[in-house]
Amino acid sequence: MGAGTRLGMRLAVTAVVGLAMTIAGPSAVMAATSPSPRGLAVSIPSEPTPAPKGATVRIPIRVVNPGNQLVTANISQRSVLLGDNGSVRIGTGADPQWGSRVTFLPPTVTLGARQYANVVIVVQVPAGIGSDLHFIGFIVSPVATAQG
């Protein structure tokens, strides 16, 4: 038996940071000015997280504001679409397989200049899911603020 079979499955977390404007297309986020000239950063586990079938798994991530101003950011799910020859597309919404099974604690963070917040991704793994490497994508995007 391979490691994936013994553990049930493994989850790989894919972070997409600062790409909301490119991915989402025209929106209020595109019109907003960035609260800081430096983008947000996200640290995720370097290895896929073991996730036994039917278990609730907690995956730690860290959201970092390397900029000089206060920034509030939302964390939300995005589907990850793996294509041929290593191509990857990030969807505009949650993956239907994981939508109701993934929670971000907290889903919104407010970070002062050069501060970070620890966030936990809570995943309820389906008992009947196939043994494989599964991806859970998310995006961390700054909350749009009015110019002024």
Side-chain angles (χ1 to χ4, degrees), residues 37-108:
R38 297 180 71 182
L40 294 167
V42 175
S43 175
I44 62 173
S46 60
E47 295 293 324
T49 301
K53 295 177 182 183
T56 297
V57 178
R58 298 172 65 84
I59 304 168
I61 65 170
R62 179 171 282 177
V63 180
V64 181
N65 174 14
N68 295 321
Q69 296 179 359
L70 181 79
V71 63
T72 298
N74 290 325
I75 306 160
S76 57
Q77 232 189 115
R78 291 292 187 265
S79 58
V80 178
L81 309 164
L82 305 176
D84 293 334
N85 299 320
S87 69
V88 177
R89 286 186 334 158
I90 305 300
T92 58
D95 184 325
Q97 176 178 353
W98 296 106
S100 64
R101 297 180 175 276
V102 176
T103 307
F104 301 96
L105 300 176
T108 301

